[in-house]
Amino acid sequence: MNLMRVSEMVHLTRYEEGKGGAALKICKYYKGDYVALQMIKSFFLTTIAFFLILALAAAGNINWFLEHFDQMNLAVVGAILLISYIVLMATYLAVTFVTANIRYGKARRSVRAYEIRLKELGDNIRYASPDAAYGKRSGR
Amino acid sequence: MSTFTQLGEKMRAVYGRYSNGIDMAVKFLLALFSFFWIRGTLGFNPIFSNPVLLLVLAVLCMIFSLTAIPVFSALLIVGQSFSLGLDVGVVTLAIFLVILILFVRFIPEDALEVVLTPLTMFFGFAALVPICTGLKRKISAVFSVACGVVIYYLMATLSRESKNLKTLAASDYADRLQLVVRGTFSSTMVVNLLALMAVLVIVHAIRRLGFDYCMQAAIPVGGLVYLMFVLLGDAVLGTDIPIAAALIGTIGSVIAAWILLLFLLPLDYSKTEKMEFEDDDYYYYVKAIPKAAATKEEIRRLHPDLSEDDEPGDEDLDRVDLDEVNFEERLEDSLKNL
């Protein structure tokens, strides 16, 4: 039994079942697809959140709304709500874009290192003999 | 100072041996404490206050990841709030959904701050969690702290207004909803939210500067920032945060954070090494600060009755003389193997 090979397999399995699991799932997508998917999710979730916030704001000021409803300019109120929605959506889409890019970059780097080690394991580069030690790799 | 270092060493050695068991025990105790605290603060519903149910949930939290604790805590709070009325329950659920949708997507995986922030705020040490989080975690943990602050004020409002909510008829939904929403999103909550977020960001920023004793400097600065926000909030918005209690709590938070830092990250700045080197792709500026460690002789001096076999493990106590280590060579070697 090549103990170094077994040790490497253990490390790779731990990566797959631990922190690397999420990274591997992310890297199944192309970067553009992953970021687009996250932004679409954000769009729908932020829309739901906006209406929930609106409902909470109405609940907290319901007496005021009932007293002043007939004096309100609904067009102005509608414009304010629309602008608020656009600002909230733009903010969250921007945050989602940045975080999705950062997450994908980190996942890609992590999976790249894993793939290199997996390929070396498959090619038996470092584990040709039980006495093989980590040393300089050719071409690097 | 060396006493803390030695105690920290022993604790780390014990943790290294029994980490699985200790992790599960800590998760169980934290979950149990949180659930019973929710029961003590709210406790309106006999089903969700049942100690057996809470014990079972704590056992489940022991098995699952840390994320289970805030999830079960949220379910308990929502369940308790429905006892005050359907409208109160729906508002509580809506607040948690907003938190989930807007913030939870961006917070770190284990979200420990969501559970610890309300607990420490309840005991008056509001600044403790943001200071410790700023020293140890990523900046995105600021969302966890923010969620924790909102949850704390939601629970405080439900607890404070429970009698009024039970007195008001279900048809007075306007007054009931106003009590809950305005009580939660009060000026006090806003001031505390901004204060704690600012504490975390500033402590994190100072830590990232990397000068000697930056962490030790960041802790009192964090405390001062919190007090500044509290005083400004009181002057500008007329919040009802008691200043004396905030001062005592902040001093306690700073002391507790300092002690935790000594235990968890004892750095020996007197042996800082700076080096520069380059490889094919980058030029490196490296600053290495060794962690302070108790020597074998110091541990034996503390426990003269311990035999060689009773010590945690010689491999834990073997220390290399730092003057003999060539950090540059070792770093170059490790980089070549990437």
Side-chain angles (χ1 to χ4, degrees), chain A residues 96-112:
Chain A
T96 304
F97 180 81
V98 170
T99 51
N101 270 291
I102 291 172
R103 275 187 190 160
Y104 191 88
K106 281 185 181 173
R108 196 74 202 99
R109 280 191 293 276
S110 167
V111 168
R112 181 81 186 120

Side-chain angles (χ1 to χ4, degrees), chain A residues 22 38 41-42 45-46 48-49 52-53 56 59-64 92 95-96 99 103 106 126 134-137 140, chain B residues 90-92 94-95 97-98 101-107 109 138 143 173-175 177-178 181-182 185 280 336-338:
Chain A
Q38 298 305 312
K41 272 192 212 171
S42 263
L45 291 174
T46 309
I48 295 169
L52 283 173
I53 292 170
L56 286 170
N61 299 284
I62 196 161
N63 282 331
W64 185 89
Y92 268 86
V95 170
T96 304
T99 51
R103 275 187 190 160
K106 281 185 181 173
R126 281 194 280 181
Y134 286 106
K136 286 187 185 180
R137 293 181 227 145
R140 289 194 175 88
Chain B
V90 168
V91 165
T92 308
I95 292 172
L97 280 174
V98 170
I101 290 170
L102 292 183
F103 298 113
V104 168
R105 302 183 66 206
F106 305 109
I107 61 179
E109 284 176 2
K138 293 187 273 191
F143 294 115
Y173 61 88
D175 294 331
L177 293 179
Q178 277 191 165
V181 175
R182 284 192 178 180
F185 298 102
D280 294 337
K336 282 172 192 167
N337 287 331
L338 277 177

